Amino acid sequence: METKGTEMAEIVNIPMVEYLALARDSRSSICDYNDSPENYHGRHVSGDIPAKSETSKMEFGSVVDAFITEGVEPSLEIPDDVVVIPTSCLKKNGHRNTAGDNWKELIAENHRTPLGNFWTEKECDKYVQEREAIRASCYAIRDQVAAHKGARSVLLAEDRICQPTILFEINGVKLKARPDVVPQRFRVIGDMKISASISTKFFTNRVSDFGYDIQGWLSAFGWMLATDESEMRPFVNVVIREKPPYEVRAFELNQNFMDRGRAYAMEAIEGIKRCQDSGVWRPGNHGEIEKVNPPNYMAVRRAEESELVAA
């Protein structure tokens, strides 16, 4: 497959925090552009729209990801930016005595610390218990992955490259991708997803809703460019149920999905370049009345209904 305007690509090993800070487009920004160029501009150019905050589910997924792919165990330590509230600042019932002088002195001594980071001993104990539960979940999930041949071959391959950052450029737009793992002998690109359901229908809907096909094409195409491999590797999602017993399934995006990911990615790349050059962050058909068609499954259902009525 040929994509015009591609330039030199490379693979670098950098921490996630540095990857996120790179001023390059990825799955998330491309999805933002396809939703609305103005939305893209506010999130990724002007910064007028705040970045999406990390949810507890996203944090859990990041912890599991680091444990499964890189062996990083969840820490049980209290975060460094937490101030433990001494008993002199508490009421007899254990609640904060915010009207007391000791509390006011504590706040003054730690004036740069957000109020949410002042914890009681009980809150610290609760945090440690929650982290212990997360750690237990990580081990249970790893056991499930190890018991699934396909998932094990992708995520736990001994020769896997973990969290590679792929940098490349198409038509003057700088891009980045960061799959979870790239096994060497088993020639696929792998990514792990924590999900409320592991059914095929639920997952394929998520591919469409969250641009996993865009992610797959960016990762596979960028890797091919950076390594000079002769063809794109398959993109495999290992999907894990978010609650016990943490069942596992592995899904390879077929060619139709990869073609769809390429089409949506290239449409956004061309649009981003057009908006950058013109300074106008609106779609080319802005102001028009757009006709919409039902998805295929809806059209088939309506046809079936028409046949029933006719009968």
Side-chain angles (χ1 to χ4, degrees), residues 117 128 131 138 144-145 150 196 203 216 235 265 277 292 298:
N117 286 15
V128 172
R131 299 296 289 183
C138 286
Q144 287 280 39
V145 171
F203 174 71
F235 187 74
D277 292 343
V292 295
M298 286 186 180

Side-chain angles (χ1 to χ4, degrees), residues 147-164:
H148 188 289
K149 181 181 177 181
R152 181 176 68 245
S153 299
V154 176
L155 295 184
L156 301 180
E158 292 184 1
D159 62 351
R160 68 187 183 275
I161 299 173
C162 299
Q163 304 286 339

